[in-house]
Amino acid sequence: MTFRGEDLLLSGAWILGIGSLIDTIGQTQQTFTHSDQGKDLIVKGNGIEAFGNSLQAIGRIKLFKHERELAQIYTIFGAWLEAAGNSTNAVGVSIELNGAEEEGTKIDTLGSGVQGLGAAFEAVGAFLEEDSSYRALAITGNSFISLGSFLAAIGNIYVLNEKSVIGEQILLVGSWIQVIGAFILIHAITLEVEHIEQEKHEENPKNRNGNSYPYSYNNY
């Protein structure tokens, strides 16, 4: 079975949103209990986010157009960076659960920084796109994810400096900002996919037969 680029893009966005929500639920539990409770959810959430970002990167590669080359390169590179950052977060928190808290927190901090950088690249990619109905939403969503990720890195730095209470609070705020960004991005990508479908419909004369779907059975 071959998946279309727009299907991967939209699926990846929803998976990213679900993963960020699971991660945030775990972080909320950890912050309010001042314990390791919730870290399992943080590991799972980051793993799901990494998968969602990877699907988005693959989807954008499949949809690559040379006339929008620079914007798409930024966006694809950013998505892979986010996937790497989320994977690093999952590894770091897993190490924390196994008892090496300082080492795990350092790795988690690195992962959040990489994730924030990746989302910033995606925001720049959206900025470089031509004016569209989804451009502003994509910039906003990715900017929120970037800000939330960098706040998570800052929170971990406070934890490493034995200021756990304020560190956990910053981590919680960063997590919720990422959730908001992820769901803004879902809306942006939904609009983008609708735009891609419309472009395909207009480019293929065989589709101009009044059908509401992008591909015509008259091709067969």
Side-chain angles (χ1 to χ4, degrees):
M1 181 183 292
T2 302
F3 292 98
R4 299 181 302 160
E6 53 267 43
D7 294 333
L8 293 172
L9 201 59
L10 190 55
S11 298
W14 275 103
I15 291 169
L16 173 63
I18 292 166
S20 66
L21 186 59
I22 292 170
D23 177 14
T24 300
I25 291 169
Q27 184 60 57
T28 302
Q29 289 181 346
Q30 181 179 316
T31 300
F32 283 101
T33 61
H34 303 290
S35 68
D36 287 344
Q37 185 178 347
K39 283 189 176 180
D40 282 340
L41 286 177
I42 294 173
V43 173
K44 291 174 183 175
N46 276 289
I48 293 169
E49 286 182 74
F51 180 58
N53 280 312
S54 298
L55 287 183
Q56 287 189 66
I58 295 167
R60 291 200 179 279
I61 290 169
K62 290 172 75 73
L63 292 167
F64 192 87
K65 290 185 177 181
H66 289 290
E67 60 268 25
R68 294 160 49 203
E69 185 172 352
L70 184 60
Q72 290 176 107
I73 287 172
Y74 271 98
T75 306
I76 291 166
F77 181 62
W80 284 124
L81 271 183
E82 278 199 75
N86 283 126
S87 299
T88 305
N89 287 139
V91 170
V93 178
S94 296
I95 290 172
E96 288 179 44
L97 283 170
N98 289 324
E101 290 192 11
E102 184 175 349
E103 182 183 351
T105 302
K106 288 178 180 178
I107 293 171
D108 189 21
T109 304
L110 174 63
S112 294
V114 172
Q115 185 187 357
L117 186 61
F121 268 100
E122 289 203 68
V124 171
F127 177 77
L128 293 173
E129 285 281 7
E130 296 176 1
D131 289 340
S132 62
S133 59
Y134 55 85
R135 179 173 175 264
L137 283 171
I139 294 170
T140 302
N142 282 303
S143 296
F144 268 67
I145 293 171
S146 181
L147 173 61
S149 299
F150 285 131
L151 282 175
I154 292 168
N156 276 325
I157 291 170
Y158 273 94
V159 171
L160 287 169
N161 285 284
E162 299 181 354
K163 297 179 180 178
S164 296
V165 174
I166 188 171
E168 292 288 349
Q169 291 172 348
I170 294 171
L171 281 163
L172 183 60
V173 171
S175 291
W176 279 108
I177 289 174
Q178 288 182 67
V179 169
I180 294 168
F183 280 89
I184 292 172
L185 197 58
I186 287 170
H187 184 39
I189 289 177
T190 300
L191 292 174
E192 182 179 357
V193 167
E194 288 174 357
H195 179 72
I196 292 168
E197 296 282 7
Q198 183 62 33
E199 280 187 337
K200 286 185 175 182
H201 182 75
E202 291 173 353
E203 287 172 2
N204 189 346
K206 291 183 180 180
N207 288 340
R208 295 173 186 169
N209 55 10
N211 294 328
S212 60
Y213 42 79
Y215 297 107
S216 171
Y217 288 103
N218 294 336
N219 293 339
Y220 300 96

